[in-house]
Amino acid sequence: MTSGQTEIWHNPRCSKSRTATAHLDETGVAYSVRRYLDDPPTADELREVLRRLDAQPWDITRTGEQIAKDLGMADWGRTPADRDRWIEALAANPQLIQRPIVLTANGGAVVARTEDALRTLG
């Protein structure tokens, strides 16, 4: 993760991710791109992103993906005791991470999938 600069966790094959980068371009926000499928976040990076999002790992998990089904994630607990299991699964399988995630220069973060979320970016 970069410090003091906006960063987008981007999958160029995802239309929501492409829309978010286009929005950042249109609004003139300087940002860096992390292709998180090629450069997966560590468990510690995920913990920091979750802190910035004020979210839990299950909130940013793509549970409809086949790997989530194979792992049986639908049956996993969603308590503080289960948190690390989810984080480790996301770190090992970055395709399960909801996209795009934008880490803002001011220390915030947003899952930029909707128009409302994009508007918070500028």
Side-chain angles (χ1 to χ4, degrees):
M1 277 180 288
T2 59
S3 177
Q5 180 181 348
T6 296
E7 176 179 274
I8 184 169
W9 288 10
H10 179 59
N11 176 355
R13 294 181 56 198
C14 171
S15 64
K16 299 283 187 185
S17 194
R18 291 191 309 269
T19 297
T21 58
H23 176 82
L24 292 171
D25 290 340
E26 290 168 12
T27 57
V29 174
Y31 65 95
S32 63
V33 173
R34 179 173 185 171
R35 291 187 175 202
Y36 70 97
L37 296 176
D38 300 325
D39 180 16
T42 65
D44 285 341
E45 288 175 314
L46 285 165
R47 285 183 189 89
E48 173 62 15
V49 167
L50 290 164
R51 183 192 67 74
R52 290 171 71 168
L53 287 168
D54 192 25
Q56 295 299 327
W58 43 86
D59 298 331
I60 66 163
T61 300
R62 298 171 55 86
T63 55
E65 294 289 325
Q66 187 60 50
I67 186 71
K69 293 173 186 173
D70 293 346
L71 291 170
M73 293 177 92
D75 297 325
W76 290 11
R78 295 180 182 215
T79 69
D82 301 306
R83 195 169 191 271
D84 282 341
R85 181 182 189 191
W86 284 83
I87 290 170
E88 293 298 331
L90 293 174
N93 303 282
Q95 67 272 30
L96 292 175
I97 300 170
Q98 196 62 261
R99 60 188 176 256
I101 294 177
V102 178
L103 308 170
T104 61
N106 68 1
V110 65
V111 178
R113 295 188 60 76
T114 66
E115 287 293 323
D116 286 340
L118 288 172
R119 277 193 285 278
T120 69
L121 299 173

